[in-house]
């Protein structure tokens, strides 16, 4: 049997519904796996339970590829924890603060600082926000604007970097589907080729400097900016900031910039040195070689930052080692999510979920519109559940075989899933990065969500146009079209605003 009909939709639907209701990715994915196995074994709960553990979870852990990905995640987790606690990011941002004299410079500096902390989407708001909040207050820029800037440089930047936790997680999902479909392409090369189709993330990152340079504000953000400029009030009378300044001292204590730039230099030199020795970029590097190179690079970078923290007496060795291991422990949640995502992908593959959707859509839905549909569905799912990673885990195992069977452009479809997940996550009031952005900026959370949404909607609207065009052409040059549209729209809105003020 190619598929189980409507029954094949039950596991992903249960995962989606529970993600929305419980806001817990692990519970949602496990429930989806269990429901699928229960249907596959004929409804016996005990057989389903032992089947989930023995046939769907254990094999994920014993697979050599999966094991290598999990080990790599732990190396990344330890390094990121050291970078966050070293104070190097705060020192770098503080060092640039002395050159900030204008409102535009302040926004561009915070934007650049957020991009520099690319290695940690959750760390960006907590490192950049507290450093720049006083600068923004001084030049009379709202806390809502700061929250938007650091939110726009957290997950939208992280999803574009293939060699950090986000990239490793996504490559793991892609590889699992490629193996089932006997696709020999490297997951690393595939993710690199998908980058030009991540329209929403790229547009979100680019909109910040456009807004800063054109001095354009619209929607609730314009009112927040007007409030600060005219009254000097940081908040609306009814606002409740998520934190006070003194709560973030751990991230703003004095340190040295070398604690961020030297470990990153070691990371890049080691990674690309090892990859070049394997023929990169002229010849494709096998996934196994890439993971070994990346693990080695993160290990050497971690050793570098440990030595620097000892030399500059940032912390004692035992404290540093505790930070490293605690960072590894934080990756247990990510590893568990990935294992369950692999298991769910296997279940819906055996039930023929993608085959059923293809059968329903074939001849009824034109192939070019599929990326746009995936973008919208992913956005709604992430917006309601507050998780982009959960969205990727549920959508990619369906989108990849669907693209292959319906002759839609594979890279565009993957980019659409990633873009939809990021857009929904970026706007969701229950997303961890959205909450942390409000926290880092010392802003009221609902004020941040309200002021950010019109900007996100602008990017999403242009991205949707991009996915329709890319669905027709499959061309990476569609990215240029979306950027031109963003610039043209921003300039047009800016001129209209200036005409109204004249």
């Amino acid at each position: 049997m190619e598929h189980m009909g409507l029954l094949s939709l039950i596991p992903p639907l249960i995962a989606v519904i529970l993600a929305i209701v419980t806001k817990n990715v692990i519970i949602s994915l496990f429930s989806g796996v269990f429901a699928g196995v229960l249907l596959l074994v004929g409804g016996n709960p005990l057989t389903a339970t032992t089947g989930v553990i023995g046939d769907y979870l254990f094999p994920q852990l014993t697979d050599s590829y999966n094991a290598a990905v999990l080990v790599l995640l732990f190396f990344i987790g330890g390094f990121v924890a050291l970078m966050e606690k070293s104070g190097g990011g705060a020192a770098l941002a503080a060092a640039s603060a002395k050159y900030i004299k204008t409102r535009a410079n302040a926004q561009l500096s915070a934007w650049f600082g957020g991009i520099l902390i690319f290695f940690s989407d959750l760390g960006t708001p907590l490192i950049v926000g507290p450093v720049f909040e006083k600068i923004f207050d001084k030049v009379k820029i709202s806390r809502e604007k700061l929250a938007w800037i650091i939110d726009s440089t957290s997950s939208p930047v992280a999803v574009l970097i293939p060699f950090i936790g986000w990239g490793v997680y996504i490559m793991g999902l892609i590889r699992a589907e490629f193996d089932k479909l006997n696709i020999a392409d490297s997951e690393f090369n595939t993710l690199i080729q998908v980058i030009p189709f991540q329209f929403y993330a790229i547009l979100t990152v680019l909109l910040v400097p456009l807004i800063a340079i054109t001095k354009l504000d619209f929607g609730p953000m314009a009112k927040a900016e007007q409030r600060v400029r005219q009254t000097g009030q940081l908040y609306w009378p009814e606002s409740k900031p998520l934190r006070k300044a003194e709560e973030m001292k751990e991230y703003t204590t004095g340190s040295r910039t070398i604690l961020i730039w030297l470990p990153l230099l070691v990371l890049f030199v080691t990674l690309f040195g090892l990859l070049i020795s394997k023929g990169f970029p002229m010849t494709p590097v096998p996934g196994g070689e890439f993971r070994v190179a990346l693990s080695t690079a993160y290990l050497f970078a971690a050793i570098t930052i440990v030595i620097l923290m000892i030399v500059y007496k940032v912390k004692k060795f035992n404290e540093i080692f505790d930070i490293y291991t605690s960072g590894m422990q934080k990756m247990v949640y990510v590893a568990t999510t990935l294992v369950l995502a692999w298991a769910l992908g296997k279940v819906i593959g055996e039930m023929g979920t993608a085959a059923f959707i293809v059968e329903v859509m074939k001849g009824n839905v034109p192939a070019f519109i599929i990326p746009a549909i995936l973008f919208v569905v992913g956005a709604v799912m992430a917006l309601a559940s507050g998780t982009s990673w959960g969205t990727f885990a549920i959508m990619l195992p369906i989108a990849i075989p669907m693209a292959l069977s319906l002759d839609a452009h594979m890279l565009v479809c993957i980019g659409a899933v990633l873009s939809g997940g990021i857009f929904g996550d970026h706007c969701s009031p229950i997303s961890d990065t959205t909450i942390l952005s409000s926290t880092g900026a010392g802003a009221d959370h609902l004020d941040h969500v309200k002021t950010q949404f019109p900007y996100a909607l602008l990017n999403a609207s242009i991205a949707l146009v991009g996915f329709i065009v890319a669905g027709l052409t499959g061309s990476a040059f569609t990215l240029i079209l979306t950027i031109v549209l963003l610039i043209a729209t921003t300039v047009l809105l800016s001129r209209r605003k200036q005409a109204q003020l004249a």
Side-chain angles (χ1 to χ4, degrees), residues 56-340:
Y56 293 90
L57 295 184
F58 282 179
Q60 308 305 330
L61 294 169
T62 56
D63 181 87
S64 61
Y65 170 86
N66 294 358
V69 170
L70 297 177
V71 170
L72 174 56
L73 284 173
F74 289 123
F75 277 119
I76 293 174
F79 171 75
V80 169
L82 290 175
M83 290 290 277
E84 290 176 347
K85 300 291 184 179
S86 71
L92 187 63
S96 64
K98 67 180 79 171
Y99 303 105
I100 299 172
K101 305 295 183 185
T102 66
R103 288 169 52 85
N105 283 345
Q107 295 173 71
L108 291 172
S109 298
W111 171 74
F112 186 63
I115 293 175
L116 283 178
I117 317 296
F118 65 85
F119 50 83
S120 173
D121 62 310
L122 301 183
T124 296
L126 301 182
I127 293 171
V128 177
V131 171
F132 279 91
E133 63 179 14
K134 296 303 179 186
I135 299 170
F136 272 50
D137 294 348
K138 180 181 177 181
V139 296
K140 291 191 174 182
I141 303 175
S142 68
R143 293 295 182 92
E144 290 92 331
K145 175 68 75 68
L146 176 58
W148 168 65
I149 291 173
I150 57 181
D151 206 350
S152 297
T153 53
S154 53
S155 52
V157 170
V159 77
L160 296 171
I161 311 296
F163 49 81
I164 63 174
W166 281 70
V168 173
Y169 176 77
I170 294 166
M171 282 189 284
L173 297 173
I174 292 173
R175 182 72 264 160
E177 295 313 306
F178 278 12
D179 287 343
K180 293 171 196 169
L181 299 168
N182 296 317
I183 298 175
D185 295 350
S186 159
E187 66 275 19
F188 174 66
N189 290 339
T190 299
L191 188 56
I192 293 294
Q193 292 169 346
V194 166
I195 290 175
F197 298 109
Q198 294 199 51
F199 299 140
Y200 180 79
I202 294 171
L203 295 176
T204 298
V205 174
L206 292 180
L207 183 60
V208 175
L210 280 174
I211 293 295
I213 293 169
T214 61
K215 300 178 181 180
L216 171 67
D217 291 305
F218 53 90
M221 186 73 80
K223 295 178 181 178
E225 289 293 287
Q226 187 178 29
R227 178 199 71 220
V228 175
R229 284 198 302 269
Q230 294 182 355
T231 69
Q233 294 179 353
L234 298 180
Y235 310 105
W236 298 108
E238 67 276 11
S239 296
K240 297 178 181 178
L242 287 192
R243 70 161 179 86
K244 297 179 181 178
E246 61 268 17
E247 295 174 8
M248 300 298 295
K249 288 180 180 178
E250 180 181 1
Y251 288 92
T252 56
T253 50
S255 186
R256 296 172 184 265
T257 58
I258 193 173
L259 279 106
I260 187 171
W261 66 258
L262 185 57
L264 290 177
L265 179 63
V266 170
L267 174 68
F268 292 136
V269 170
T270 304
L271 174 61
F272 289 105
L274 290 172
L275 290 179
I276 289 170
S277 70
K278 304 293 182 182
F280 180 84
M282 303 308 294
T283 58
V285 178
E289 298 286 355
F290 170 73
R291 289 184 293 279
V292 170
L294 196 50
S295 298
T296 305
Y298 272 105
L299 177 61
F300 285 179
I303 292 171
T304 302
I305 196 170
V306 167
I307 293 172
L308 289 172
M309 290 175 76
I310 293 173
V311 169
Y312 290 109
K313 298 179 181 180
V314 176
K315 291 184 183 293
K316 296 178 181 179
F317 177 76
N318 287 339
E319 294 176 306
I320 297 171
F321 191 75
D322 286 343
I323 292 171
Y324 188 74
T325 53
S326 68
M328 287 182 157
Q329 291 168 13
K330 289 180 181 179
M331 283 294 170
V332 171
Y333 183 88
V334 176
T336 304
T337 302
L338 192 49
V339 169
L340 288 171

Side-chain angles (χ1 to χ4, degrees), residues 472-490:
L472 283 166
T473 65
S475 173
F477 288 105
T478 308
L479 175 62
I480 298 174
L481 170 65
T482 62
I483 293 173
V484 169
L485 284 174
L486 181 66
I487 294 172
T489 304
T490 305

